Amino acid sequence: MGIVLDSSNKGANGSSTVDKKVKVVFVLGGPGSGKGTQCAKIVEHFGYTHLSAGDLLRAEIKSGSENGTMIQNMIKEGKIVPSEVTIALLQRAIHENKNDKFLIDGFPRNEENREAFEHVTGLLPEFVLFFDCSEEEMESRLLSRNQGREDDNIDTIRKRFNVYMESSLPVIEYYKSKGKVQRIDASKPVGEVFEEVKAVFAPSDAKIAV
Ligand code: UDP
Ligand code: MG
């Protein structure tokens, strides 16, 4: 698909922060909409590197970093971690990886995240993959997935839904207004959802022609 972003693009402060040509796709959708599951399949079929903002934040907690306690508290409350923390983790992950195409899953979560990422990295997403799923379905998936996550309890889930509606949907609306959103009906079973996803990526990004 279209434009390969040249991240020799300078950030607004004039400094280049990502020093290789990279292509970025944002993967957005509510909690439990299947972002992580589908990203794993996209990696397998289309050779992207998957960067889950939530996973990077959880790894940061585990690493015993000085921000760990703050991040842990924010996640427990379903709140959005300050942009500079998440962006630094994403930037480092992009730098450390030789790949030139990345799925950024679960970020940006609000307009401030979006603006800050653009400003700091000079990168714009090639497109946004939006997993659209009913709240009822998302709730039942979160309550049954048993991944040992501290935020998969009904109280935190309700808070995450509220943050999603209030802060994250406007980001999707913004990209819709730019014609960049690829909407996927994510309420269906995994395999059916992936059929729709495949149609978005293939054939331009296929590892092997299909
Ligand atoms: N989070 C955040 N910023 C991000 C991504 C995640 O603050 O860019 C935090 C936020 O508290 C969120 C939690 O991490 O509720 C879990 O995010 P993840 O994407 O792993 O889960 P999802 O809610 O999409 O299932
Ligand atoms: Mg996830």
Side-chain angles (χ1 to χ4, degrees), residues 3-190:
I3 327 137
V4 174
L5 289 156
D6 182 352
S7 38
S8 61
N9 281 347
K10 304 280 190 252
N13 61 3
S15 64
S16 178
T17 51
V18 176
D19 52 11
K20 56 180 179 179
K21 269 192 180 183
V22 296
K23 187 156 98 173
V24 162
V25 173
F26 287 146
V27 182
L28 301 178
S33 59
K35 303 183 293 292
T37 304
Q38 295 295 327
C39 280
K41 291 176 138 335
I42 299 166
V43 165
E44 204 182 299
H45 285 73
F46 300 104
Y48 280 73
T49 291
H50 176 208
L51 300 179
S52 156
D55 287 352
L56 289 169
L57 290 168
R58 283 183 286 271
E60 192 66 2
I61 298 172
K62 277 206 187 134
S63 78
S65 110
E66 57 175 336
N67 284 323
T69 310
M70 178 275 289
I71 297 172
Q72 190 166 24
N73 290 333
M74 303 291 279
I75 290 182
K76 259 191 222 155
E77 288 303 312
K79 290 183 181 158
I80 299 168
V81 171
S83 290
E84 56 269 30
V85 172
T86 316
I87 291 170
L89 294 172
L90 288 168
Q91 238 180 336
R92 188 173 73 196
I94 292 171
H95 268 292
E96 285 173 357
N97 200 296
K98 287 207 178 76
N99 203 348
D100 62 353
K101 46 185 192 177
F102 295 88
L103 300 169
I104 298 190
D105 154 9
F107 178 95
R109 270 180 139 78
N110 60 15
E111 280 287 277
E112 199 267 326
N113 275 177
R114 180 186 67 71
E115 284 167 12
F117 182 84
E118 220 170 274
H119 181 83
V120 170
T121 67
L123 290 170
L124 297 174
E126 180 158 352
F127 62 91
V128 174
L129 198 60
F130 166 40
F131 289 112
D132 197 2
C133 191
S134 70
E135 190 167 314
E136 198 186 13
E137 175 65 21
M138 293 194 282
E139 185 178 298
S140 101
R141 290 179 188 174
L142 292 172
L143 289 173
S144 61
R145 71 181 178 181
N146 286 324
Q147 292 178 343
R149 275 177 53 171
E150 271 189 304
D151 57 348
D152 282 348
N153 60 77
I154 193 64
D155 282 353
T156 309
I157 288 170
R158 294 268 148 82
K159 290 177 183 163
R160 286 155 71 196
F161 282 151
N162 286 337
V163 169
Y164 172 66
M165 303 287 278
E166 276 171 28
S167 304
S168 309
L169 279 179
V171 175
I172 294 160
E173 285 305 321
Y174 169 85
Y175 285 120
K176 225 182 250 175
S177 77
K178 301 270 175 198
K180 284 198 167 189
V181 172
Q182 297 279 355
R183 180 191 166 277
I184 305 289
D185 176 0
S187 298
K188 295 186 285 189
V190 175

